[in-house]
Amino acid sequence: MLKFEEIQLSGFGKYPKTRSKLSRPSGVNEIKDFLKSGEVTPRGLGRSYGDAAISDKGIIAESLLMNKFLSFDESTGILSCEAGVSYKDILDTFTIRGWFPYVTPGTKYVTVGGAIASDVHGKNHHKEGSFSNFLISMRILLSSGEIIECSRESNADLFWATIGGMGLTGFILDAVFRLRKIENPYMTNKVLKLKNLTALFEKFEEYDEDYIYSVAWMDIVASGSKYGRNILMLGNHAGNEDLNSRLQVKSKEKYVEKKISVPFEIPFSTLNKVSISLFNSAFYMKARTKEDFQHYDKYFYPLDFILNWNHIYSKSGLIQYQLNIPEDRGQEAVDKVLKKVVEFGGGSFLAVLKKMGDQDGILSFPFKGYTLSMDFPVKKGVIKMCKQLDDIVLEYGGRTYLTKDSILDELTFKKMYTGLWEKWMEIKHKYDPENKFSSSLARRIGLCPF
Ligand SMILES: Cc1cc2nc3c(=O)[nH]c(=O)nc-3n(C[C@H](O)[C@H](O)[C@H](O)COP(=O)(O)OP(=O)(O)OC[C@H]3O[C@@H](n4cnc5c(N)ncnc54)[C@H](O)[C@@H]3O)c2cc1C
């Protein structure tokens, strides 16, 4: 008998929600049984924002019980683990031994399976690329029940279609990838408070050689003379010789995380243009141009300190809109997008701008350019405004990120990923001819039939 729970399920943005049959298989045989009964949607920790890991058809197979480390080579940093292992598991186990993921997204509550399926990027994408750059091989359960190992050398078509393939080629069972050697858990942290976009684009270039990590927080509510103000944060992994004696001692102590919680959804009326604008002003005013050291946990995962922070967006949820625009007209396009958002007045606290580099992978989101991500509380007019942003993105030859998406229509998606989705579709048909692996996202953007 198939074991599942029927519940209202969503991604991290809590929009959209759908009645889904959620299961937590403990092994391959259970997933094979699900496949015999109908469609399957793989799911990790549900940190994709929209509907990539939900479906009102078939069964959602969550990987969280398939979470064992399989092997680790101390001499090379090569780790093999099951797909349900999370970044938190990796950090808790390996940073103390001097190893760190090469690429990390802005939360550690992401599984290895989810990281591959979205080909996640971090603040170092322009220097080091996405997760897939450090992925050596993986084993995938196909809809036929067969388990296939794939890498750059064997079954390479499946390898490249699964990277960024949003769980639609098969269920990733385990993966082999490289970790980075670090000397201690601290980061050098340089903060620059900047008045406008021009200053930001100049500083991105000026510091390109010196720092592997860079990201800018943007005030997307400020208008008039404050329009485009931002805070640029740059960093590197600190060497032991960089640290003072206090931090050298602390770096060897057990790290204890502190968390605060948002226990319930805050009514939308509390979170309005005025309160968001006040928050952004206070955040900008408090920031100082400075250089110091930060523990990796604060540096990479500031949002993880606030448990359930997505509750601040009320029951209606949020849309996270992440675009990437080619480098040559990046500043012009970002300026146009920001002006549209300021005019709409529906922006929020979280807007970040990063540089991106080239990337292999058929449906991988990154390419050489600038990526801007913004949160919008779901309210009247917001979808219409996002569609207008889509038009700007298309005009500049850009695209939006599927793992954050909840609004793209099929035609717009196919224009954004033209030449790529067709190639990906051929491989999908080869390995999953009956579209057994699907999701609400896949049907919405035409990667699977309704
Ligand atoms: C606060 C926050 C910050 C973020 N920052 C970044 C960032 O900086 N960079 C970035 O790239 N992303 C970022 N993300 C997005 C996140 O990294 C991705 O959505 C990631 O895929 C989530 O992993 P998950 O385990 O939660 O997967 P889920 O959300 O559960 O699933 C995501 C996709 O992976 C597929 N999938 C999951 N497990 C498997 C499996 N075993 N086999 C096959 N497919 C599978 C699902 O079908 C789905 O399509 C952020 C998200 C949050 C909430």
Side-chain angles (χ1 to χ4, degrees):
M1 213 178 68
L2 305 178
K3 274 193 282 176
F4 57 80
E5 186 190 1
E6 200 157 343
I7 53 164
Q8 194 80 333
L9 197 63
S10 71
F12 191 71
K14 296 178 162 218
Y15 174 84
K17 291 184 179 135
T18 192
R19 198 126 192 105
S20 302
K21 292 179 180 142
L22 179 66
S23 70
R24 200 171 271 189
S26 53
V28 178
N29 287 340
E30 264 177 88
I31 310 175
K32 282 187 186 171
D33 288 343
F34 297 151
L35 285 165
K36 279 181 206 147
S37 77
E39 292 181 14
V40 169
T41 306
R43 182 174 169 104
L45 277 158
R47 259 40 180 205
S48 49
Y49 277 76
D51 50 1
I54 61 173
S55 175
D56 57 356
K57 290 188 181 173
I59 291 190
I60 316 293
E62 211 177 54
S63 63
L64 305 186
L65 294 181
M66 300 165 78
N67 64 344
K68 288 185 211 61
F69 288 118
L70 303 173
S71 67
F72 183 63
D73 183 338
E74 285 279 356
S75 64
T76 58
I78 293 178
L79 173 65
S80 167
C81 67
E82 291 184 327
V85 165
S86 70
Y87 267 71
K88 180 170 173 10
D89 299 330
I90 296 173
L91 294 163
D92 288 352
T93 312
F94 290 99
T95 49
I96 198 79
R97 297 157 84 168
W99 297 94
F100 197 81
Y102 267 98
V103 170
T104 177
T107 171
K108 56 183 181 282
Y109 297 103
V110 162
T111 61
V112 166
I116 296 169
S118 301
D119 197 14
V120 297
H121 58 268
K123 299 173 181 177
N124 55 341
H125 190 274
H126 57 302
K127 293 279 186 187
E128 301 186 309
S130 299
F131 186 89
S132 59
N133 285 25
F134 304 93
L135 179 64
I136 297 168
S137 64
M138 58 189 148
R139 282 192 326 134
I140 299 176
L141 172 68
L142 300 180
S143 55
S144 61
E146 193 186 348
I147 296 172
I148 287 206
E149 178 156 348
C150 63
S151 66
R152 285 171 180 77
E153 291 77 37
S154 72
N155 301 309
D157 56 350
L158 181 62
F159 182 79
W160 290 115
T162 301
I163 288 166
M166 304 310 295
L168 300 170
T169 53
F171 195 99
I172 303 162
L173 296 172
D174 43 55
V176 182
F177 52 97
R178 283 194 289 137
L179 299 182
R180 177 203 302 276
K181 189 86 191 121
I182 52 167
E183 292 184 20
N184 60 66
Y186 285 94
M187 308 294 300
T188 62
N189 175 43
K190 184 177 178 78
V191 178
L192 299 170
K193 194 171 167 179
L194 303 170
K195 289 207 164 74
N196 52 43
L197 276 182
T198 306
L200 175 61
F201 279 79
E202 276 169 18
K203 293 292 172 195
F204 266 137
E205 293 320 309
E206 186 179 332
Y207 288 105
D208 202 39
E209 282 304 306
D210 303 337
Y211 293 91
I212 59 167
Y213 298 104
S214 66
V215 65
W217 171 85
M218 310 282 309
D219 184 346
I220 55 166
V221 185
S223 55
S225 61
K226 294 174 185 149
Y227 167 77
R229 65 185 175 178
N230 62 82
I231 298 162
L232 175 61
M233 290 156 276
L234 304 152
N236 286 319
H237 291 276
N240 283 342
E241 75 285 0
D242 300 324
L243 302 182
N244 61 28
S245 49
R246 186 183 65 87
L247 286 184
Q248 287 199 16
V249 172
K250 270 190 94 177
S251 72
K252 295 191 178 70
E253 290 169 2
K254 191 173 176 342
Y255 175 70
V256 184
E257 272 177 78
K258 294 189 191 88
K259 285 200 190 291
I260 57 165
S261 173
V262 181
F264 51 84
E265 277 115 348
I266 292 173
F268 186 71
S269 54
T270 327
L271 191 75
N272 52 31
K273 195 176 168 187
V274 176
S275 60
I276 292 171
S277 177
L278 284 173
F279 172 88
N280 280 13
S281 284
F283 190 72
Y284 184 78
M285 294 318 221
K286 203 170 159 266
R288 293 277 165 271
T289 289
K290 63 169 184 181
E291 275 184 78
D292 60 8
F293 294 94
Q294 270 194 354
H295 191 275
Y296 76 79
D297 207 27
K298 262 200 184 140
Y299 185 84
F300 288 108
Y301 314 112
L303 290 172
D304 288 347
F305 281 81
I306 311 168
L307 282 173
N308 309 325
W309 70 261
N310 49 347
H311 282 186
I312 63 169
Y313 289 97
S314 87
K315 281 205 172 81
S316 329
L318 75 130
I319 289 173
Q320 171 140 136
Y321 189 94
Q322 182 166 359
L323 59 88
N324 192 29
I325 298 277
E327 188 178 46
D328 52 345
R329 290 167 77 202
Q331 185 175 341
E332 186 187 317
V334 168
D335 185 42
K336 215 164 172 176
V337 165
L338 281 186
K339 286 194 171 127
K340 177 66 68 192
V341 173
V342 171
E343 178 192 308
F344 176 70
S348 191
F349 319 107
L350 277 172
V352 296
L353 186 70
K354 299 192 260 217
K355 279 184 84 170
M356 290 209 139
D358 289 323
Q359 189 61 51
D360 297 326
I362 307 171
L363 290 184
S364 286
F365 166 67
F367 59 81
K368 200 172 172 72
Y370 289 95
T371 181
L372 176 65
S373 49
M374 299 169 281
D375 280 359
F376 301 113
V378 176
K379 63 170 188 173
K380 198 163 169 259
V382 92
I383 293 179
K384 191 169 162 211
M385 192 261 311
C386 288
K387 299 269 178 206
Q388 290 169 354
L389 299 186
D390 283 349
D391 291 340
I392 303 175
V393 172
L394 278 175
E395 180 193 334
Y396 284 87
R399 61 170 80 132
T400 57
Y401 192 9
L402 298 182
T403 208
K404 305 275 182 89
D405 176 60
S406 37
I407 58 141
L408 263 187
D409 56 76
E410 181 173 344
L411 191 65
T412 312
F413 161 70
K414 288 184 171 170
K415 282 186 191 160
M416 286 179 178
Y417 286 79
T418 187
L420 299 166
W421 71 266
E422 299 92 328
K423 189 173 166 194
W424 183 88
M425 209 66 138
E426 277 177 30
I427 305 170
K428 163 87 172 160
H429 286 150
K430 176 174 166 191
Y431 289 99
D432 183 22
E434 291 173 50
N435 290 300
K436 285 270 176 122
F437 286 100
S438 75
S439 65
S440 295
L441 166 83
R443 287 189 289 273
R444 176 164 56 78
I445 62 173
L447 290 177
C448 284
F450 268 95

